[in-house]
Amino acid sequence: MIEEGAHIGERVLVGPGCIVQKGASVGADSTLRSGVNLYPGVTLGMRCLLHAGAVVGADGFGFAPNSGTWEKVPQVGSVRVGDDVEIGANTTIDRGAIDDTVVENGVKLDNQIQVGHNVIIGAHTAIAACTGISGSTVIGQRCMIGGMVGFAGHLTIADDVVVTGCSLVSASIKKPGSYSSGMPTVETRLWRRMVAHLRRLDG
């Protein structure tokens, strides 16, 4: 379904079950596979490929505590996606709270990635499946992010950074290079001994 006020460029292919909402724009020669949903105001560049179930422009996770409950904070930004971007199946990119979420030219996103509100992903960065990027994180250009990496919010990642799979990025990375965290899998009995040893380090 293409809503009134949406703009579809030349030679765009729109698959079955897609929704291009009011004010969204799809650049020329782009392809939307089945079930893609572009929310109002989302801008998609030229020659992009969005796989089945991708959602671009849903509300970011913005809530403020209020007398023991949670009050929703309006998300009034949108999402800007550059040219030659590929977005994997069931990947979600949240709209910005105030400013836009931005995915720059040539970015490649695998399946089932969560991109939080106001994130910026630099040009030609590639991110593997099941990575989660918390709000307002800025990832530089030409980065390579392994699968199941988690980024805390409000971080800045330099250009040309490699983060290996299953890493937790809890602080900004200021220099190019390869970064890792986490513990490789070992037998359960050995794992328990290792944990017990770690607990005794402060003793």
Side-chain angles (χ1 to χ4, degrees), residues 21 37-40 42 55-63 71-79 92-98 101 114-118 135:
Q21 298 188 39
N37 194 335
L38 303 182
Y39 274 61
V42 166
V55 178
V56 182
D59 282 359
F61 192 69
F63 297 90
E71 185 170 339
K72 187 173 179 64
V73 176
Q75 307 288 290
V76 298
S78 192
V79 180
T92 57
I93 303 175
D94 292 344
R95 67 192 308 106
I98 299 175
T101 301
Q114 160 62 18
V115 179
H117 55 194
N118 297 108

Short mmCIF file of all heavy atoms in Angstrom, two decimals, residues 21 37-40 42 55-63 71-79 92-98 101 114-118 135:
data_model
loop_
_atom_site.label_atom_id
_atom_site.label_comp_id
_atom_site.label_asym_id
_atom_site.label_seq_id
_atom_site.Cartn_x
_atom_site.Cartn_y
_atom_site.Cartn_z
N GLN A 21 4.24 4.90 3.94
CA GLN A 21 3.28 5.79 4.58
C GLN A 21 3.44 7.24 4.10
O GLN A 21 4.39 7.59 3.40
CB GLN A 21 3.43 5.68 6.10
CG GLN A 21 3.13 4.28 6.62
CD GLN A 21 3.08 4.22 8.13
OE1 GLN A 21 2.57 5.12 8.80
NE2 GLN A 21 3.60 3.13 8.69
N ASN A 37 7.95 -1.81 5.78
CA ASN A 37 7.11 -0.71 6.26
C ASN A 37 7.96 0.53 6.44
O ASN A 37 8.88 0.55 7.27
CB ASN A 37 6.44 -1.09 7.59
CG ASN A 37 5.31 -0.16 7.97
OD1 ASN A 37 5.27 0.99 7.55
ND2 ASN A 37 4.38 -0.65 8.77
N LEU A 38 7.67 1.56 5.66
CA LEU A 38 8.33 2.85 5.79
C LEU A 38 7.35 3.82 6.44
O LEU A 38 6.31 4.12 5.88
CB LEU A 38 8.78 3.38 4.42
CG LEU A 38 9.70 2.48 3.60
CD1 LEU A 38 10.08 3.19 2.29
CD2 LEU A 38 10.94 2.09 4.38
N TYR A 39 7.70 4.32 7.60
CA TYR A 39 6.81 5.21 8.35
C TYR A 39 6.81 6.62 7.75
O TYR A 39 7.65 6.94 6.89
CB TYR A 39 7.27 5.26 9.80
CG TYR A 39 6.71 4.16 10.68
CD1 TYR A 39 6.99 2.82 10.41
CD2 TYR A 39 5.91 4.45 11.78
CE1 TYR A 39 6.49 1.81 11.21
CE2 TYR A 39 5.40 3.45 12.58
CZ TYR A 39 5.69 2.13 12.30
OH TYR A 39 5.20 1.14 13.09
N PRO A 40 5.89 7.46 8.21
CA PRO A 40 5.78 8.81 7.64
C PRO A 40 7.10 9.59 7.70
O PRO A 40 7.79 9.59 8.72
CB PRO A 40 4.72 9.48 8.51
CG PRO A 40 3.87 8.35 8.99
CD PRO A 40 4.83 7.21 9.21
N VAL A 42 9.96 9.14 6.28
CA VAL A 42 11.22 8.44 6.05
C VAL A 42 11.72 8.73 4.63
O VAL A 42 10.94 8.74 3.67
CB VAL A 42 11.04 6.92 6.25
CG1 VAL A 42 12.24 6.14 5.68
CG2 VAL A 42 10.84 6.60 7.71
N VAL A 55 11.52 -2.58 9.00
CA VAL A 55 10.69 -1.48 9.47
C VAL A 55 11.58 -0.27 9.69
O VAL A 55 12.52 -0.32 10.50
CB VAL A 55 9.95 -1.84 10.77
CG1 VAL A 55 9.13 -0.65 11.27
CG2 VAL A 55 9.05 -3.05 10.56
N VAL A 56 11.30 0.80 8.99
CA VAL A 56 12.11 2.02 9.08
C VAL A 56 11.21 3.17 9.53
O VAL A 56 10.24 3.50 8.86
CB VAL A 56 12.77 2.35 7.74
CG1 VAL A 56 13.64 3.59 7.86
CG2 VAL A 56 13.59 1.17 7.23
N GLY A 57 11.55 3.74 10.70
CA GLY A 57 10.83 4.92 11.16
C GLY A 57 9.84 4.71 12.27
O GLY A 57 9.10 5.63 12.63
N ALA A 58 9.80 3.51 12.88
CA ALA A 58 8.95 3.32 14.06
C ALA A 58 9.47 4.17 15.21
O ALA A 58 10.63 4.63 15.20
CB ALA A 58 8.90 1.84 14.46
N ASP A 59 8.64 4.41 16.21
CA ASP A 59 9.06 5.21 17.36
C ASP A 59 10.27 4.60 18.05
O ASP A 59 10.36 3.37 18.22
CB ASP A 59 7.93 5.31 18.39
CG ASP A 59 6.87 6.31 17.99
OD1 ASP A 59 7.01 6.95 16.93
OD2 ASP A 59 5.89 6.45 18.73
N GLY A 60 11.19 5.45 18.47
CA GLY A 60 12.26 5.02 19.34
C GLY A 60 11.73 4.71 20.74
O GLY A 60 10.60 5.08 21.09
N PHE A 61 12.54 4.03 21.52
CA PHE A 61 12.14 3.62 22.88
C PHE A 61 12.38 4.80 23.81
O PHE A 61 13.41 4.90 24.48
CB PHE A 61 12.94 2.40 23.30
CG PHE A 61 12.42 1.73 24.54
CD1 PHE A 61 11.22 1.06 24.53
CD2 PHE A 61 13.15 1.76 25.72
CE1 PHE A 61 10.74 0.43 25.66
CE2 PHE A 61 12.68 1.14 26.86
CZ PHE A 61 11.47 0.47 26.83
N GLY A 62 11.42 5.73 23.85
CA GLY A 62 11.56 6.95 24.63
C GLY A 62 10.46 7.07 25.67
O GLY A 62 9.30 7.31 25.31
N PHE A 63 10.82 6.90 26.94
CA PHE A 63 9.86 7.00 28.03
C PHE A 63 10.51 7.72 29.20
O PHE A 63 11.71 7.58 29.45
CB PHE A 63 9.40 5.60 28.49
CG PHE A 63 8.65 4.84 27.43
CD1 PHE A 63 9.33 4.01 26.55
CD2 PHE A 63 7.28 4.97 27.30
CE1 PHE A 63 8.66 3.32 25.57
CE2 PHE A 63 6.60 4.28 26.31
CZ PHE A 63 7.29 3.45 25.44
N GLU A 71 5.89 7.56 31.08
CA GLU A 71 5.19 8.46 30.18
C GLU A 71 5.93 8.51 28.84
O GLU A 71 7.15 8.73 28.80
CB GLU A 71 5.10 9.87 30.77
CG GLU A 71 4.29 10.83 29.94
CD GLU A 71 4.02 12.14 30.68
OE1 GLU A 71 4.11 12.16 31.92
OE2 GLU A 71 3.72 13.11 29.99
N LYS A 72 5.21 8.30 27.76
CA LYS A 72 5.83 8.26 26.43
C LYS A 72 6.32 9.64 26.02
O LYS A 72 5.61 10.63 26.15
CB LYS A 72 4.84 7.73 25.40
CG LYS A 72 5.45 7.48 24.03
CD LYS A 72 4.43 6.80 23.12
CE LYS A 72 5.01 6.58 21.73
NZ LYS A 72 6.15 5.65 21.75
N VAL A 73 7.55 9.69 25.53
CA VAL A 73 8.13 10.93 25.01
C VAL A 73 7.92 10.93 23.49
O VAL A 73 8.35 10.00 22.81
CB VAL A 73 9.63 11.02 25.33
CG1 VAL A 73 10.24 12.27 24.70
CG2 VAL A 73 9.85 11.01 26.84
N PRO A 74 7.26 11.94 22.94
CA PRO A 74 7.02 11.96 21.49
C PRO A 74 8.32 11.88 20.69
O PRO A 74 9.32 12.52 21.04
CB PRO A 74 6.33 13.31 21.27
CG PRO A 74 5.73 13.65 22.58
CD PRO A 74 6.67 13.10 23.63
N GLN A 75 8.30 11.08 19.64
CA GLN A 75 9.45 10.93 18.76
C GLN A 75 9.14 11.69 17.46
O GLN A 75 8.39 11.21 16.61
CB GLN A 75 9.70 9.45 18.47
CG GLN A 75 9.80 8.58 19.73
CD GLN A 75 11.09 8.81 20.50
OE1 GLN A 75 12.17 8.45 20.05
NE2 GLN A 75 10.98 9.42 21.67
N VAL A 76 9.70 12.87 17.32
CA VAL A 76 9.28 13.77 16.25
C VAL A 76 10.28 13.86 15.11
O VAL A 76 10.04 14.56 14.13
CB VAL A 76 9.00 15.18 16.82
CG1 VAL A 76 7.86 15.13 17.83
CG2 VAL A 76 10.25 15.79 17.45
N GLY A 77 11.42 13.17 15.21
CA GLY A 77 12.36 13.12 14.10
C GLY A 77 11.92 12.07 13.09
O GLY A 77 10.84 11.50 13.17
N SER A 78 12.79 11.78 12.14
CA SER A 78 12.50 10.73 11.16
C SER A 78 13.76 9.92 10.92
O SER A 78 14.65 9.87 11.77
CB SER A 78 11.95 11.34 9.87
OG SER A 78 11.41 10.33 9.05
N VAL A 79 13.83 9.28 9.76
CA VAL A 79 15.01 8.48 9.37
C VAL A 79 15.42 8.89 7.97
O VAL A 79 14.58 8.97 7.07
CB VAL A 79 14.71 6.97 9.40
CG1 VAL A 79 15.95 6.17 8.99
CG2 VAL A 79 14.24 6.54 10.78
N THR A 92 15.18 -3.26 12.13
CA THR A 92 14.36 -2.11 12.50
C THR A 92 15.25 -0.89 12.76
O THR A 92 16.28 -1.00 13.42
CB THR A 92 13.52 -2.40 13.76
OG1 THR A 92 14.38 -2.77 14.84
CG2 THR A 92 12.54 -3.53 13.51
N ILE A 93 14.83 0.23 12.22
CA ILE A 93 15.55 1.49 12.40
C ILE A 93 14.56 2.51 12.94
O ILE A 93 13.60 2.89 12.26
CB ILE A 93 16.15 1.98 11.06
CG1 ILE A 93 17.08 0.90 10.47
CG2 ILE A 93 16.91 3.28 11.26
CD1 ILE A 93 17.61 1.24 9.09
N ASP A 94 14.79 2.96 14.17
CA ASP A 94 13.85 3.86 14.85
C ASP A 94 14.00 5.30 14.38
O ASP A 94 15.12 5.76 14.10
CB ASP A 94 14.06 3.82 16.36
CG ASP A 94 13.67 2.48 16.97
OD1 ASP A 94 12.97 1.71 16.30
OD2 ASP A 94 14.09 2.23 18.12
N ARG A 95 12.90 6.01 14.35
CA ARG A 95 12.92 7.43 14.04
C ARG A 95 13.58 8.20 15.19
O ARG A 95 13.60 7.76 16.34
CB ARG A 95 11.52 7.96 13.79
CG ARG A 95 10.60 7.97 14.97
CD ARG A 95 9.15 8.22 14.60
NE ARG A 95 8.95 9.39 13.78
CZ ARG A 95 8.68 9.35 12.48
NH1 ARG A 95 8.57 8.20 11.84
NH2 ARG A 95 8.51 10.46 11.80
N GLY A 96 14.12 9.36 14.90
CA GLY A 96 14.77 10.16 15.92
C GLY A 96 13.78 10.79 16.88
O GLY A 96 12.62 11.03 16.55
N ALA A 97 14.25 11.04 18.09
CA ALA A 97 13.41 11.70 19.08
C ALA A 97 13.19 13.17 18.69
O ALA A 97 12.07 13.68 18.77
CB ALA A 97 14.05 11.61 20.46
N ILE A 98 14.26 13.83 18.28
CA ILE A 98 14.17 15.23 17.84
C ILE A 98 14.80 15.33 16.45
O ILE A 98 14.13 15.59 15.46
CB ILE A 98 14.85 16.18 18.84
CG1 ILE A 98 14.15 16.09 20.21
CG2 ILE A 98 14.82 17.61 18.31
CD1 ILE A 98 14.81 16.89 21.29
N THR A 101 17.39 10.00 12.73
CA THR A 101 18.32 8.87 12.65
C THR A 101 18.87 8.84 11.23
O THR A 101 18.13 9.05 10.26
CB THR A 101 17.58 7.56 12.96
OG1 THR A 101 17.01 7.66 14.28
CG2 THR A 101 18.51 6.36 12.89
N GLN A 114 18.80 -4.02 15.41
CA GLN A 114 18.02 -2.94 16.00
C GLN A 114 18.86 -1.68 16.04
O GLN A 114 19.93 -1.65 16.67
CB GLN A 114 17.57 -3.31 17.42
CG GLN A 114 17.16 -2.14 18.31
CD GLN A 114 15.95 -1.36 17.78
OE1 GLN A 114 15.21 -1.86 16.93
NE2 GLN A 114 15.76 -0.17 18.29
N VAL A 115 18.40 -0.64 15.35
CA VAL A 115 19.07 0.66 15.34
C VAL A 115 18.19 1.64 16.10
O VAL A 115 17.08 1.95 15.68
CB VAL A 115 19.31 1.14 13.89
CG1 VAL A 115 20.00 2.51 13.89
CG2 VAL A 115 20.14 0.12 13.12
N GLY A 116 18.68 2.13 17.23
CA GLY A 116 17.89 3.01 18.09
C GLY A 116 17.79 4.42 17.55
O GLY A 116 18.41 4.80 16.55
N HIS A 117 16.98 5.22 18.26
CA HIS A 117 16.72 6.58 17.78
C HIS A 117 17.97 7.47 17.84
O HIS A 117 18.77 7.37 18.74
CB HIS A 117 15.55 7.23 18.53
CG HIS A 117 15.68 7.25 20.01
ND1 HIS A 117 14.62 7.52 20.84
CD2 HIS A 117 16.71 7.01 20.83
CE1 HIS A 117 15.00 7.47 22.09
NE2 HIS A 117 16.26 7.18 22.11
N ASN A 118 18.08 8.30 16.83
CA ASN A 118 19.16 9.29 16.70
C ASN A 118 20.54 8.66 16.52
O ASN A 118 21.55 9.33 16.68
CB ASN A 118 19.18 10.26 17.89
CG ASN A 118 17.92 11.09 17.96
OD1 ASN A 118 17.08 10.88 18.84
ND2 ASN A 118 17.75 12.02 17.04
N GLY A 135 20.36 4.24 21.51
CA GLY A 135 20.10 5.57 20.99
C GLY A 135 21.28 6.52 21.07
O GLY A 135 22.08 6.48 22.01
#
